[in-house]
Amino acid sequence: MEILNIKDLKISFNTDTGVVEAVNGISLSVGEGESLGLVGETGAGKTTTALGILRLIQCPPGEFVKGEIFYKGQDILKMKDQELRDMRGAEISMIFQDPMSALNPVMTIGEQISEVILHHQKCTKEEAERQMLAMLEQVRIPAERAGEYPYQFSGGMKQRVIIAIALACHPKLLIADEPTTALDVTIQAQVLEMINALKRTNHTSMLLITHDLGVVAESCEKVAIMYAGEIVESGSVADIFDATAHPYTKGLFNSIPSISKKMDRLKPIEGMMPDPGNLPTGCKFHPRCPFASDLETCAAEEPIAYEVTPGHFVRCHRCRSWVEELKVERGVGV
Amino acid sequence: MAQLEVKHLMKYFKTPVGPLHAVDDVSFSIDSGKTLGVVGESGCGKSTLGRAVLGLNEATGGQILFEGKDITHAKGVLSKEMKRQIQIIFQDPYSSLDARMSVQQLIAEPLTATGICKGKAAVQKRVAELMDTVGLASRYMLSYPHELDGGRRQRIGIARALAVEPKFIVCDEPVSALDVSIQAQILNLMSDLQEERGLTYIFITHNLSVVKHISDDIMVMYCGCLTEKCECDELFRAPLHPYTKGLLSAIPEPSIHVERKRNLLEGEISSPINPAPGCRFSSRCPYAGDICRERFPAPQEACPNHFVACHFVNEINGL
Ligand SMILES: Nc1ncnc2c1ncn2[C@@H]1O[C@H](COP(=O)(O)OP(=O)(O)OP(=O)(O)O)[C@@H](O)[C@H]1O
Ligand SMILES: Nc1ncnc2c1ncn2[C@@H]1O[C@H](COP(=O)(O)OP(=O)(O)OP(=O)(O)O)[C@@H](O)[C@H]1O
Ligand code: SF4
Ligand SMILES: [Mg+2]
Ligand SMILES: [Mg+2]
C-alpha cells in the first residue's frame, strides 16, 4: 500500500526579487516499508519538498501553488491544525538538514531526548530516561555524555542525537534530510543499519534525501533524481544505477571521485545550477546538457516524463526515440 | 623543512564530569604545497585540531611550528601575521557568513580588516578579481548568502579565505554539504588554486573517496588520537590499523553490484572524557588483547613513513 503519494506538487517562494519556483509539479509515491532516495543538485528543491510534506513551510513567502499530498489516503494540504500536529508527532518524523538549529542550546542532550519520549509515550520519567540512555547507546554516544549541552558536541554527534530523537517515537514514515552527511562511514553504516532494522520491525517507510549515491545504493529500493524543482528521472535502484538514462543523472555519476582509480581531474557537469527565479525555457537542463545541441526541441519544448521501461520515468526529449531503441536493446517487443 | 610542524599537540576541554581529551598527543608535519587529509569518526577531534592550528583554540599542551616559528601561543603582532597566513574554510559557510552582508561586503571584509587593501576603488577591484578567481559571476555581487545555493556560498567562503593571500588553508569539510557535481567543481577549483599559488592544505573530511582524490598524505584519527598516517595510496592499498581497515570496508559505493564484507566495528565507543588508559579503540577492536586495555599505543613507524598506533600492528599484518 502507498503510504505517501504526492501529485503534481508545486511550491513557490514570493520574494522581493521575484518568484522562486522551488518545487515545480513533482509527483512521487512511497510504499509501506519502502525507502525512496531523493537525490539532486543543491537548491533543486529537496528540502522544500520534505518541509512541504509536513506543511512546515512558512507561507508567505512560501505558497502551495497546486497539487496534493496524500498520507494514508488523506490530503495533508487539507488537514486541520490539530490533525496536522497529531500526524507530525506520532506518524511522521523528520530529521532536519541542519542539526545545529534543531537542538535547544540551553537543554542537555539527555533532557531533549527524554522530553520527546515523554511527550509521545506518556510513560514515567524513569522509563523515559531508561529509553533515552538506550537510544544514546544505539547511536553510539557514551551514556555519561547525556548531561552535556549541544555546544559541547561535534557536528556529527549532534546529528546522531537528532537521529535518536527522530527514531524515539517509532514513526511510520521517516523523512530524513541528509541524515548521514556529517558522519564517518562506520557510524553511517550503523545508523543505516538502525534505520533498516526499524524498517523490518515497524515497516517504517522512508524518504531519504542525500547527495550520496552510495548510501542510496545501500538503503533504498526506489530513487528520484531532482533538478531545478522537477523530478527528471525516477525508478528502481536498478533502473537508476544500471540503466541511467537522463543526461543529468549520468553527469552526477561521472562527478563522483572513484575510490579505485586515481584521476587527475574530476569531471563535474559543466556550468552552474540555473537561477531558480529565472529558469531556462524548454528542458531546464538544456544549457548544461552535452546532448542538447543536437536537438533544437530541448530549448523550445518542455519534455514530458517518458516511461522507458515499466516504472522507469525519464524527462528528456532524447527518450522519445530512445523508448523505441531501448525496447529493441532489451529485447522487448516494440 | 616542513612548513607546519605539530608536536605532541593536546587540547582538553573542561566538562562538568572531567577533562575531555579532544586532541591527545598528536604529532605530524606538512610540507609546503602539499595536502594532508584528515579523516576519522565524528567527534574524534578533527575540527579541534584544525582550529588549534589557527589559534582559534589555544592548545593545552604541545607545540605548533609554522615555518620554524613557534606559534602555539602566539599573541600580538606575530598572531596577526599568522592569522593572515593561515586561513580556514568551513563546511557550511552559511552559518559562518553574516546573513546581513552582501557578497561584495563579505569578500571585502577580510581585505579591509587586515588593511592589505586600502581605498574603496582598490577594494572593489580586488573583490571583483577574487570573485573571478573562485568562479562567482559578477552579477552576484549584491546578492545575500540566503539567496545563493550551497556551491556558490562555498565559493564565497573560499574567496574570503584567499582574500588575504594565505599560504596555508585548513579546509574543514568544505564539500560535505554539496552535491557530487558541485563537489567536483569545488575540488577542481581547490586543486587549481593549490597549483597556482603553492597553497598547503589540511583537508578534513568524512568522505574517503574525496580524501583519496585530494590528499598527498592521510592521517586517520580516533577519539582524539592519531591512529595511522602515511602516503595516500599506501593507506588505501595497505591499511595497517584495525580501525582504518574497518573504515575502508564501510565505504558505501555508488553501485548496486558490490558484495560488501563490511566490518561493522561493533562495541562501545570509548569516551574522550577521562579516557581509560590503553588504546582508545580497544573496546571495538576485534584484535584487542590485555595490553591494549592497559597501555596506550604510541604511534610507531611500522614501515618507512607509515605510522601506526597499535600494539599488534606486526602480528595483525604479518610484518
Ligand atoms: N524561504 C525561502 N525564501 C526564498 N527562497 C527559498 C526559501 N527556501 C528555499 N528557497 C529557494 O528554493 C530553492 C530550493 O531550495 P531547497 O532548500 O529546497 O533545495 P535543496 O534541494 O534542499 O538544496 P540543498 O541540497 O542545498 O539542501 C532554492 O533556490 C532556494 O534558494
Ligand atoms: N567547546 C567545547 N567544549 C567542550 N567540548 C568540546 C568543545 N568543542 C568540541 N568539544 C568536544 O571535543 C571532541 C572533538 O570535537 P571536534 O569538533 O573536534 O570533532 P570532529 O572530529 O571535528 O567531529 P565532526 O566530524 O563531527 O565535525 C568532541 O567530543 C566534542 O564534543
Ligand atoms: S531534454 Fe535535452 S537538454 Fe534536457 S536532458 Fe534531455 S537531451 Fe539534455
Ligand atoms: Mg536541502
Ligand atoms: Mg568537525
Side-chain angles (χ1 to χ4, degrees), chain B residues 133-145:
Chain B
T133 309
V134 300
L136 267 176
S138 55
R139 70 193 149 95
Y140 291 112
M141 208 162 242
L142 298 176
S143 300
Y144 288 86

Side-chain angles (χ1 to χ4, degrees), chain A residues 140 185-194 218, chain B residues 41 243 245-247 249-250 260-267 281 284 286:
Chain A
R140 310 257 150 186
V185 291
T186 67
I187 301 292
Q188 171 174 291
Q190 285 162 357
V191 166
L192 293 176
E193 194 47 50
M194 226 166 97
E218 277 192 21
Chain B
E41 193 142 82
Y243 173 61
K245 290 176 194 275
L247 202 60
S249 81
R260 233 166 287 277
K261 285 194 292 292
R262 201 157 56 197
N263 165 358
L264 266 183
L265 298 176
E266 295 292 348
F281 185 59
R284 289 170 80 190

Side-chain angles (χ1 to χ4, degrees), chain B residues 104-143:
Chain B
Q104 179 177 27
Q105 288 168 326
L106 283 165
I107 301 176
E109 187 199 44
L111 293 169
T112 44
T114 51
I116 54 170
C117 224
K118 291 196 180 69
K120 211 169 159 194
V123 171
Q124 279 215 350
K125 182 161 167 274
R126 185 83 184 107
V127 168
E129 276 168 21
L130 283 161
M131 284 181 69
D132 188 48
T133 309
V134 300
L136 267 176
S138 55
R139 70 193 149 95
Y140 291 112
M141 208 162 242
L142 298 176
S143 300

Side-chain angles (χ1 to χ4, degrees), chain A residues 41-42 140 145 148 154 160 181-182 184 188 190 211 218 242 259 262-263 265-266 269 271-273, chain B residues 20 42-43 135 152 176 179 181 185 188 192 206 212-213 247 252 257 260 262 264-267 273:
Chain A
E41 188 134 304
T42 334
R140 310 257 150 186
R145 303 201 64 175
E148 290 184 32
S154 74
R160 281 184 266 163
T181 324
D184 92 287
Q188 171 174 291
Q190 285 162 357
H211 292 306
E218 277 192 21
D242 289 350
I259 200 76
K262 191 103 189 168
M263 307 183 260
R265 272 185 93 69
L266 298 172
I269 301 166
M272 298 223 191
M273 188 72 181
Chain B
L20 185 152
S42 86
R152 292 196 177 102
S176 303
D179 70 77
S181 173
Q185 291 180 352
N188 282 346
D192 293 345
H206 295 292
K212 178 163 191 253
H213 175 75
L247 202 60
H257 301 291
R260 233 166 287 277
R262 201 157 56 197
L264 266 183
L265 298 176
E266 295 292 348
I273 303 173

Side-chain angles (χ1 to χ4, degrees), chain A residues 13-15 20-23 40-49 58 61-62 97 177-178 209 211 226 276, chain B residues 146-150 153 177 179:
Chain A
F13 292 99
N14 300 308
T15 67
V20 175
E21 297 179 344
V23 173
E41 188 134 304
T42 334
K46 305 179 297 295
T47 300
T48 308
T49 304
Q58 219 186 351
Q97 184 168 15
D177 196 353
E178 300 279 356
I209 298 176
H211 292 306
M226 230 176 145
Chain B
H146 71 269
E147 297 168 353
L148 302 177
D149 60 81
R153 289 203 292 254
D179 70 77

